[in-house]
Amino acid sequence: MSRKPPTERLEELRDAIKSALDYRDFYLRYCSRARVCGARLQAFCPIPAHGHSGRGRPSLSVDLVRGLFHCFSRDEGGDAIRFYELMHGVTFAQAVREMASLLGLDGKQMPLAFRAAPDIEPMEPLDDEQLTTICESFLAICRTQEQAEGLNYLARRGIAPETAQRAGVSYFPRRAYRRVMEKLRGKFSPEELQRSGLFNRRGHLTFYQHRLLFPFLIEGRARYLQARAIASGIEPRWHNMRGNVPALYNVDLLDALPSGSVVYLVEGFTDTLTLLTHGFAAVGLVGAGGLKEEWIAPLGRFRVVALLDPDEAGRRAVARYRETFGARRLHLANLFLPSDVNDFFRQRPSASLELALLTEAALERREDAEWPSDKRTGYNLRL
């Protein structure tokens, strides 16, 4: 096997350093008199070549989220590695190697989580048919692995295994990671896998920490997927293939429903599957603001109820969607529960009955229905 060029190995180490570095601790080692306010650090600039006297006003500003510094008096800045270069008078390559050593990173044995990290560089996307073929193969391979851990996670969220299976939800355990990766390598070229977003330029499957897979089924075929990390402490919690979300989640349901049926428009996969588990028809958005105008037409023959999260983003989205529906002479009813749908059903034994009553009132009055709070009845519909 040919060795990677030195430049590529340095780039990998650089990325690993930025992933592992605690920026606050790093800059405070050099800036003993710093003042930290939220995500910003202010200090007297300690860079030797800048020749500051240590008097006057602090001139160094650091963004602790991105790790970027700027010395305003000398108009020089950069990332944490550049800062190390200037503090120690070393080259970029020396800075990378020394910082990697301090962090316990070895260029030959990088942590697998890093080696599996997705690329951020844009790439030419695959066409829809290629993406669908790879997506379906990935899911088929994952379904041959042990599913219990993923199904148990959903069961703890109140989602029935049969609901998850009908929706095509798949999982693979961590111990199967290399096995799944090798099977995909045997079916597709490295370029195809990288352009799909399943693999990165290092040749690793990017779905390493995100192994609970939610496909977007359109006419029965998996056109796209997103995945969730089920272990605690992993951020971001979601990961996806390259490309754009192609449709509402669970959109195939609409073909099987008679006109006039009640359909809930909710946020996310777990809320959609929760409603399906309890016998309600639902389609899902990826984020409160994720509804595309071209997705509205298939909803036109139903009684649609927006049931988004009761936060500011959800309220703004509902207001915008009602205007959009209204411009097409369609009505969009809406409800706001005291929590998201999944939490509501897990916390209230009578959730199904309560939701049915609220929905009936909202559709009859054709106005907003607002949860909470008549202390005698538990409802205040504002209707």
Side-chain angles (χ1 to χ4, degrees):
M1 181 182 294
S2 61
R3 298 182 63 186
K4 293 181 180 180
T7 301
E8 186 173 333
R9 291 201 301 274
L10 280 175
E11 288 175 352
E12 286 193 358
L13 274 176
R14 174 202 63 197
D15 294 344
I17 289 166
K18 291 183 178 181
S19 176
L21 199 61
D22 182 320
Y23 291 126
R24 187 178 188 277
D25 288 349
F26 172 76
Y27 282 103
L28 284 175
R29 288 181 213 161
Y30 300 97
C31 306
S32 59
R33 298 168 57 194
R35 181 171 63 89
V36 177
C37 183
R40 182 69 58 178
L41 179 148
Q42 300 285 340
F44 293 101
C45 178
I47 297 172
H50 287 187
H52 292 291
S53 64
R55 297 187 296 272
R57 302 180 65 181
S59 65
L60 185 77
S61 178
V62 178
D63 179 339
L64 295 176
V65 175
R66 297 184 295 168
L68 303 177
F69 76 93
H70 189 84
C71 174
F72 290 96
S73 65
R74 296 295 185 271
D75 194 25
E76 182 169 14
D79 61 14
I81 297 173
R82 176 58 178 161
F83 186 81
Y84 187 96
E85 291 178 52
L86 293 170
M87 287 300 303
H88 296 275
V90 296
T91 64
F92 168 75
Q94 287 175 293
V96 167
R97 293 190 182 100
E98 290 176 14
M99 293 178 74
S101 177
L102 290 170
L103 290 167
L105 299 173
D106 185 324
K108 297 178 181 178
Q109 294 185 352
M110 298 291 244
L112 186 52
F114 169 73
R115 283 179 281 160
D119 299 330
I120 60 173
E121 298 88 354
M123 294 192 71
E124 182 182 353
L126 295 172
D127 64 41
D128 291 345
E129 188 58 34
Q130 286 178 299
L131 193 66
T132 299
T133 300
I134 291 177
C135 184
E136 292 209 304
S137 293
F138 180 33
L139 291 165
I141 291 168
C142 292
R143 288 180 192 128
T144 66
Q145 310 304 314
E146 177 57 55
Q147 300 292 298
E149 190 175 6
L151 292 175
N152 288 341
Y153 168 81
L154 292 175
R156 292 194 297 272
R157 303 291 299 269
I159 296 168
E162 54 270 23
T163 300
Q165 289 165 353
R166 281 197 302 271
V169 179
S170 303
Y171 180 78
F172 68 94
R174 185 170 177 172
R175 63 180 176 276
Y177 173 76
R178 293 188 182 278
R179 187 160 57 247
V180 171
M181 185 163 61
E182 291 305 319
K183 286 180 178 292
L184 283 166
R185 283 174 175 163
K187 292 176 70 69
F188 302 101
S189 71
E191 181 189 5
E192 288 175 314
L193 292 169
Q194 189 178 350
R195 286 172 61 192
S196 74
L198 291 190
F199 277 51
N200 61 20
R201 60 185 172 84
R202 301 179 187 90
H204 277 74
L205 175 63
T206 60
F207 291 76
Y208 170 62
Q209 299 186 106
H210 304 80
R211 301 188 305 277
L212 185 62
L213 312 173
F214 297 86
F216 286 75
L217 302 177
I218 302 175
E219 297 180 349
R221 301 186 70 197
R223 305 279 185 174
Y224 184 76
L225 63 84
Q226 293 197 338
R228 195 190 197 287
I230 64 175
S232 61
I234 295 175
E235 293 293 340
R237 292 182 302 166
W238 294 94
H239 177 46
N240 52 268
M241 301 179 76
R242 289 187 186 272
N244 298 316
V245 175
L248 293 164
Y249 178 66
N250 196 40
V251 70
D252 274 4
L253 171 77
L254 301 180
D255 294 335
L257 293 177
S259 296
S261 299
V262 175
V263 174
Y264 294 90
L265 181 67
V266 301
E267 238 179 285
F269 307 108
T270 53
D271 283 0
T272 304
L273 297 177
T274 297
L275 288 180
L276 295 177
T277 292
H278 292 275
F280 297 93
V283 290
L285 300 172
V286 177
L291 181 64
K292 298 180 181 179
E293 291 196 15
E294 60 265 31
W295 299 347
I296 295 177
L299 296 171
R301 64 189 184 92
F302 304 107
R303 293 184 291 165
V304 183
V305 181
L307 193 56
L308 305 188
D309 291 353
D311 53 17
E312 186 60 32
R315 293 176 184 276
R316 286 198 306 269
V318 166
R320 187 170 77 253
Y321 297 157
R322 293 191 67 175
E323 290 182 1
T324 306
F325 271 65
R328 290 166 169 74
R329 298 186 177 182
L330 300 173
H331 176 64
L332 177 66
N334 88 276
L335 298 170
F336 285 118
L337 301 176
S339 62
D340 68 33
V341 171
N342 183 256
D343 285 343
F344 183 77
F345 274 84
R346 285 191 293 140
Q347 294 165 4
R348 307 179 78 92
S350 60
S352 290
L353 176 59
E354 295 177 44
L355 179 59
L357 291 172
L358 282 169
T359 300
E360 183 179 351
L363 290 169
E364 285 179 356
R365 303 297 180 91
R366 299 175 68 85
E367 296 179 15
D368 289 353
E370 181 84 26
W371 185 262
S373 236
D374 184 314
K375 292 184 179 178
R376 296 167 298 172
T377 65
Y379 296 91
N380 177 9
L381 300 180
R382 289 179 49 206
L383 298 174

